[in-house]
Amino acid sequence: MEKIKILMVGNDQSVKGGITSVIQQLLAYDWNSIGVEMSFLPTYIEDSSIKKIIFFAHAYKNIKKAIRTDKPDVVHIHMSYKGSFYRKYLIHKLCKKYDVPDVIHLHGSEFQKWYNESNSRTKKKIRNLLAESSAFIVLGDKWNKAVKEIEPATRTVVVSNAVHIPDYTTNWNGDTFQILFLGVLIKRKGVADLIQAISLLKKEGWLNNIKFIIAGSGSEEESLKQQASELKVEPWIEFAGWTDGKAKERYLKESQALVLPSYNEGLPIAVLEAISYGLPVIATAVGDMAAAVREGENGFLIKPGDVSALADKIKKITEDKGRYTQMSAKSKEIALTEFSDSKYFEKIYNCYREATHKKAFKMS
């Protein structure tokens, strides 16, 4: 069987965040075993504005060369919004010029909001990209609806993020109940609300055996540390910095629950990783979060910014071992039945096959 040649483009693997986690997951898969030849070219690094521009200019040149000489069957483009959109729009047009199908993989949790706030010229470009792409991957049903509202002609494919399911399952810890936050420390992640909730719990005398791990880095890190100091909740919080690989696995194994009080999300890898270890989750009802966090079954969903509700759900999840054990088992069940990576790779592969089929049909 002739192999399908895929060129994937997106963040450099040094970039922190969920998009990079997805790219690493895809690159780690044995595509060769199912007849796919996968190559990857990074288009973005975290650096100064000038260095970002230079890096992308080199990336664009290399992508153009790869399309012209290596002739990939499909270009798989990972895209967010703002600067990411403009970079990927140029690559999309390059694909159109050389008649190479592109599969665009949307990750941006604020894509619809950004579209609504954009000027008419940018909106036209966005709709143009949506309509022209061979396939447009979205992370859940809500994002499918949102993209279709922007451009009904978009060939959307719903492929939820997925994770490898570990053999390990978390346990109730009667000595220290550890609650984990995993993510970039930026305003929309709602970590300031979490610290406020911890302060409320302190006033109520509820922090005797609870420890919070904030595993992440970003622009809000110093202000969050200052907030924790001002509210005098430092003894209950560990700022662990950015964690991945074995360090992230260790925190997931050692923790009893995950908290993610974001203001915008799609369906975060952090939540799927947490439920794969059997962690109950306290999160906000945004994006497609409800696909993985079922209210009262394996966690709780609250409104963004509702600090009192966040504190209350932390109490609920830490006060009853029986309820906790049931929630933990449900998290593992949901991960196994709905978010195992085996079906995920099959869906991605089918996107590639469909894109090449469309190309062949067009050229015949």
Side-chain angles (χ1 to χ4, degrees):
M1 181 177 67
E2 188 177 352
K3 286 189 175 179
I4 303 174
K5 294 176 70 173
I6 306 297
L7 172 62
M8 186 161 61
V9 300
N11 290 350
D12 184 82
Q13 293 185 63
S14 64
V15 177
K16 301 176 178 68
I19 299 176
T20 302
S21 295
V22 172
I23 290 170
Q24 290 173 337
Q25 182 184 28
L26 287 165
L27 291 178
Y29 184 65
D30 184 12
W31 290 105
N32 190 60
S33 67
I34 58 171
V36 174
E37 182 182 318
M38 178 72 72
S39 60
F40 175 70
L41 287 172
T43 56
Y44 175 79
I45 55 170
E46 289 178 331
D47 213 316
S48 66
S49 297
I50 294 297
K51 288 185 178 179
K52 287 177 184 176
I53 292 169
I54 294 170
F55 187 87
F56 176 71
H58 284 300
Y60 183 85
K61 182 179 178 181
N62 290 334
I63 291 165
K64 184 176 182 179
K65 181 181 178 182
I67 289 175
R68 294 177 66 183
T69 60
D70 298 336
K71 296 181 170 55
D73 295 300
V74 178
V75 178
H76 184 164
I77 301 171
H78 293 273
M79 186 184 80
S80 180
Y81 56 99
K82 293 184 178 178
S84 177
F85 168 79
Y86 293 113
R87 290 189 296 272
K88 305 311 163 52
Y89 182 80
L90 292 174
I91 296 170
H92 164 71
K93 287 300 181 183
L94 197 60
C95 291
K96 291 292 291 181
K97 179 179 179 180
Y98 291 99
D99 194 31
V100 177
D102 57 347
V103 172
I104 298 179
H105 203 146
L106 180 65
H107 300 273
S109 60
E110 295 187 321
F111 185 81
Q112 185 181 31
K113 179 175 181 286
W114 174 67
Y115 171 82
N116 291 336
E117 294 172 352
S118 295
N119 59 40
S120 57
R121 185 177 179 183
T122 298
K123 284 181 176 178
K124 184 177 180 180
K125 285 185 175 181
I126 294 167
R127 292 193 301 270
N128 178 255
L129 179 141
L130 295 180
E132 289 182 347
S133 59
S134 297
F136 197 85
I137 296 175
V138 292
L139 302 184
D141 292 332
K142 284 190 176 180
W143 278 107
N144 185 42
K145 181 180 177 182
V147 168
K148 287 286 194 179
E149 285 176 354
I150 294 172
E151 176 49 69
T154 312
R155 289 173 283 276
T156 54
V157 182
V158 178
V159 184
S160 297
N161 285 334
V163 287
H164 178 71
I165 310 298
D167 294 331
Y168 183 87
T169 301
T170 191
N171 295 298
W172 174 274
N173 189 330
D175 297 324
T176 303
F177 193 103
Q178 184 166 291
I179 298 177
L180 177 66
F181 168 88
L182 277 174
V184 183
L185 301 184
I186 53 178
K187 191 170 183 179
R188 75 169 176 85
K189 290 290 186 177
V191 184
D193 294 339
L194 173 59
I195 295 174
Q196 287 284 354
I198 295 170
S199 178
L200 288 180
L201 293 169
K202 180 193 171 190
K203 291 175 183 176
E204 296 176 17
W206 201 272
L207 294 178
N208 293 334
N209 69 331
I210 303 178
K211 179 181 181 181
F212 295 86
I213 304 291
I214 297 177
S217 61
S219 58
E220 295 282 304
E221 186 170 356
E222 291 307 313
S223 64
L224 292 169
K225 288 179 178 177
Q226 184 178 347
Q227 180 189 12
S229 175
E230 291 172 354
L231 293 174
K232 296 181 171 54
V233 292
E234 290 171 300
W236 294 275
I237 301 174
E238 176 186 335
F239 285 91
W242 185 255
T243 58
D244 53 19
K246 294 295 182 183
K248 180 166 66 172
E249 288 178 21
R250 178 170 60 84
Y251 281 123
L252 286 163
K253 283 184 175 181
E254 293 175 352
S255 298
Q256 281 67 55
L258 181 89
V259 61
L260 190 63
S262 304
Y263 284 74
N264 282 294
E265 289 289 355
L267 182 55
I269 284 286
V271 167
L272 302 186
E273 288 173 331
I275 66 171
S276 77
Y277 280 85
L279 273 65
V281 176
I282 303 168
T284 43
V286 295
D288 281 286
M289 197 76 76
V293 184
R294 314 287 168 76
E295 174 65 29
E297 294 184 35
N298 72 318
F300 300 106
L301 293 171
I302 62 170
K303 292 180 180 179
D306 193 338
V307 173
S308 296
L310 179 55
D312 179 65
K313 299 310 181 185
I314 291 172
K315 287 194 290 186
K316 284 188 183 307
I317 218 162
T318 59
E319 69 182 353
D320 186 331
K321 182 178 179 180
R323 177 198 287 153
Y324 174 85
T325 303
Q326 290 176 350
M327 284 187 164
S328 174
K330 188 64 176 179
S331 275
K332 193 77 171 185
E333 178 191 324
I334 292 169
L336 280 165
T337 58
E338 300 184 38
F339 297 104
S340 173
D341 58 10
S342 58
K343 291 191 179 294
Y344 173 78
F345 294 118
E346 182 182 336
K347 288 181 178 180
I348 297 292
Y349 174 75
N350 286 338
C351 279
Y352 297 157
R353 290 293 302 177
E354 179 66 15
T356 56
H357 173 73
K358 285 178 181 175
K359 182 185 178 185
F361 180 79
K362 178 182 176 184
M363 293 173 67
S364 61

